[in-house]
Amino acid sequence: MTSTTASGIGAAFDAQGVAGYVAGRTWRLAIGGELVDAASGRTYPTFDPSTRTLLAHVPDGDAADVERAYRAAAAAQEQWAETAPRQRARLLRDLAALVDEHALELAALDAVDLGSPLRSMLLDVERATDSLRLFADWSLQLTGEVVPASAEHLHYTRREPFGVVGRILPFNHPLMFAAGKAAAPLLAGNALIIKPAHQTPLSALRFGELAQQVLPAGLVNVVSGQGPETGAALVTHPRIRRLAFIGSERTGRLVQAAAAAAAVKQVSLELGGKNAMLVFPDADLAAAARSAVTGMNLEASTGQSCGSTSRLLLHASIADQVLPAVVDAFQALRVGPALDEATEVGPLVSEQQQEKVRGLVDDAVAAGAVLECGGTTASAAAPTEAGFYYPPTVLSAVDPAMRIAREEAFGPVLTVFTFQTEAEAVALANDLDYGLTASVWTSDINRAHRLAHDLEAGFVWINGSSQHFPGVPYGGVKASGIGREECLDELLSFTQVKSVNVMGALARR
Ligand code: NAD
């Protein structure tokens, strides 16, 4: 299982092959350079959402395991902090190479655990190793400043690590987040405890094993757990001073409150979105329609993506041209199991997620929204009995007060609104508490910049959607979060500035 290309997917990679491989392994926590069971001995089951079948039992870590991980991480971090940043970068590149060697295996783990197509999960592995290399390239950016604050003394700053960092992850890009988001805290000189989402622990646990082969023992620890207690133990640990949380707004707020109650901590929050795409009559309408589809990230994660442009705002004069093209494209997508090469859209991650999406759509239809395609009654090709499938769905005539217009569905559901004026469109887009991404389709350069400024979002595309660009800050405003990632700011956010004043160093004798 070491090929890095998708082309070799054959008999060994059919559903039985992967399931057999997963079931045949022993899944352990990675703590202190060793693979260990949870201290309690407890495990919990993880399922394949494409088939609803049991994949494996994984350790159900709790506060005792977080404490073990903390001690191992704190011990490893002392020496790591003394290691020159370029040497840290070398090891991150070695880690990237090892992850690349195991790309197919890691992608297959994500495909069966999350349910997204193998091809998309291979791209996630690429993004993870790209992130490790991007941050490795920035090792000499961990600079300080000389401040000319006086004539006789030398004043300089240095960037120091926090110590042990806790990273709590969501389910929707398991390996991409476990490996890719390890880069910045590690390069900055911290040790790390990763808590994967309970639904998708496999690739993070495997990544923990791989990291132990390249990095000093205890530098990267992975603790899986079934309930909120595992993450909460990281959040409330009195000596973990830096927490990076990616997940829902609701949990993010709990995390911030619990962290504040436990100790003084720096907490970054990458939270949800209910993002707007605005299409004006002067846009390339065919391209806008295509972008409305790719903007939903259906193929990458069945729309379970924070950045999805799930609110499509069409100028009333062009709605009749854009909407049918979007609906056609949604209906053409092939829904199926993650390991079927023909699959374009997989299932949702869990029954709970499926029920949430179904409930939001059913409520909207009952309240008068029009089901253009998909929904529970659609004749989509989805084998709805087998797994947690939900067909790609478009709802029009959506009232901005409806739940589907305000709550993050985190699924394959696009809601369509119409507007008459630019001001009306901006007001509709900014009406929600979320503010992660936004997209504007227009050929008017002035309007493009005006709206980029007026839209309350942390990441804006003009005539585009969905794509991230490593190096360009990603993160939200308002309820979508605090902090920026995928950029130099992310690296620096894992450091704290110390000022040094060397008294008399510049005094003339
Ligand atoms: P979630 O909030 O349910 O869980 C996220 C993580 O928090 C999981 O590991 C979970 O086990 C843990 N957790 C749960 N309760 C906890 C507690 N009390 N204390 C500490 N940790 C706790 O989110 P999810 O359903 O896994 O992920 C989906 C959400 O993540 C969506 O809202 C999505 O928009 C968001 N997300 C945001 C970004 C971003 O970059 N802004 C990226 C991906 C996902």
Side-chain angles (χ1 to χ4, degrees):
M1 285 208 167
T2 54
S3 167
T4 54
T5 64
S7 58
I9 299 163
F13 259 89
D14 61 16
Q16 282 78 15
V18 177
Y21 169 72
V22 172
R25 294 186 99 255
T26 305
W27 294 92
R28 295 228 162 87
L29 306 175
I31 297 181
E34 294 177 0
L35 300 175
V36 297
D37 292 325
S40 68
R42 282 196 312 267
T43 60
Y44 74 93
T46 183
F47 294 91
D48 180 346
S50 297
T51 57
R52 295 177 185 236
T53 52
L54 175 72
L55 285 168
H57 285 90
V58 300
D60 187 10
D62 62 16
D65 301 293
V66 167
E67 182 57 31
R68 272 199 294 180
Y70 171 78
R71 286 173 198 272
Q77 194 267 337
E78 278 184 31
Q79 187 148 23
W80 185 243
E82 300 295 314
T83 306
R86 289 191 67 208
Q87 175 59 13
R88 294 178 207 151
R90 263 179 221 117
L91 292 180
L92 289 189
R93 285 198 187 88
D94 291 348
L95 180 58
L98 189 62
V99 170
D100 273 343
E101 276 177 36
H102 290 80
L104 190 53
E105 175 193 354
L106 292 163
L109 292 178
D110 274 357
V112 292
D113 215 11
L114 171 65
S116 288
L118 184 60
R119 148 175 14 95
S120 302
M121 296 297 89
L122 276 165
L123 286 176
D124 269 16
V125 179
E126 256 178 51
R127 292 189 187 107
T129 53
D130 189 46
S131 169
L132 285 163
R133 294 189 177 101
L134 174 74
F135 283 98
D137 286 347
W138 280 336
S139 60
L140 291 180
Q141 297 292 332
L142 290 164
T143 57
E145 291 178 320
V146 174
V147 186
S150 72
E152 63 274 35
H153 315 304
L154 172 63
H155 312 270
Y156 69 93
T157 63
R158 50 184 259 112
R159 291 194 171 271
E160 297 184 347
F162 282 87
V164 178
V165 167
R167 264 230 180 253
I168 300 176
L169 303 177
F171 69 78
N172 59 335
H173 290 283
L175 188 275
M176 184 176 99
F177 287 148
K181 301 285 184 186
L186 291 179
L187 184 73
N190 303 282
L192 192 56
I193 304 175
I194 297 171
K195 211 300 275 173
H198 60 278
Q199 304 95 326
T200 54
L202 297 180
S203 62
L205 291 170
R206 184 72 180 113
F207 170 69
E209 291 180 32
L210 294 175
Q212 290 183 347
Q213 293 173 24
V214 177
L215 300 176
L219 201 62
V220 172
N221 306 275
V222 181
V223 181
S224 54
Q226 184 169 21
E229 302 77 21
T230 325
L234 275 176
V235 172
T236 56
H237 196 289
R239 288 182 299 284
I240 297 177
R241 299 277 182 194
R242 174 75 173 89
L243 280 171
F245 174 83
I246 310 178
S248 63
E249 180 205 350
R250 187 183 157 277
T251 314
R253 290 164 74 143
L254 289 175
V255 163
Q256 204 176 24
V264 173
K265 295 184 188 231
Q266 184 145 325
V267 181
S268 53
L269 300 171
E270 290 279 346
L271 307 178
K274 186 82 189 173
N275 312 298
M277 175 183 287
L278 285 58
V279 184
F280 289 87
D282 58 9
D284 176 339
L285 298 183
R290 285 194 299 276
S291 187
V293 182
T294 50
M296 282 298 295
N297 299 310
L298 295 168
E299 302 192 32
S301 55
T302 319
Q304 299 167 118
S305 165
C306 56
S308 293
T309 36
S310 57
R311 291 188 296 148
L312 178 60
L313 279 51
L314 301 175
H315 189 272
S317 67
I318 46 103
D320 285 352
Q321 294 166 68
V322 177
L323 183 54
V326 173
V327 171
D328 283 352
F330 264 55
Q331 285 178 315
L333 287 163
R334 266 189 294 211
V335 178
L339 290 177
D340 182 336
E341 282 188 75
T343 292
E344 290 167 311
V345 181
L348 294 165
V349 73
S350 64
E351 189 158 19
Q352 191 187 11
Q353 198 64 24
Q354 190 189 35
E355 284 310 310
K356 178 182 165 196
V357 171
R358 195 200 306 274
L360 283 169
V361 173
D362 289 354
D363 275 7
V365 173
V370 173
L371 196 57
E372 299 281 348
C373 68
T376 47
T377 57
S379 60
T384 47
E385 294 310 310
F388 306 124
Y389 296 93
Y390 197 88
T393 297
V394 178
L395 288 167
S396 65
V398 176
D399 187 289
M402 288 177 184
R403 282 178 63 214
I404 191 69
R406 310 196 72 79
E407 294 178 26
E408 187 186 37
F410 220 54
V413 183
L414 178 66
T415 49
V416 184
F417 309 79
T418 55
F419 65 86
Q420 300 285 350
T421 66
E422 184 180 306
E424 194 192 331
V426 172
L428 191 53
N430 289 345
D431 186 35
L432 301 188
D433 210 21
Y434 285 125
L436 188 51
T437 71
S439 160
V440 179
W441 279 83
T442 180
S443 57
D444 176 341
I445 186 80
N446 295 328
R447 183 187 351 242
H449 288 296
R450 194 164 60 234
L451 289 185
H453 293 206
D454 288 351
L455 288 169
E456 293 168 358
F459 195 94
V460 178
W461 295 275
I462 304 297
N463 298 327
S465 67
S466 177
Q467 256 185 300
H468 290 219
F469 303 92
V472 177
Y474 187 83
V477 300
K478 303 199 292 190
S480 290
I482 299 171
R484 293 293 175 269
E485 299 205 334
E486 305 175 22
C487 60
L488 194 54
D489 271 0
E490 180 183 349
L491 175 63
L492 301 183
S493 80
F494 289 101
T495 67
Q496 37 196 353
V497 171
K498 176 181 280 177
S499 298
V500 180
N501 302 280
V502 187
M503 305 308 289
L506 305 178
R508 294 183 187 279
R509 303 204 187 275

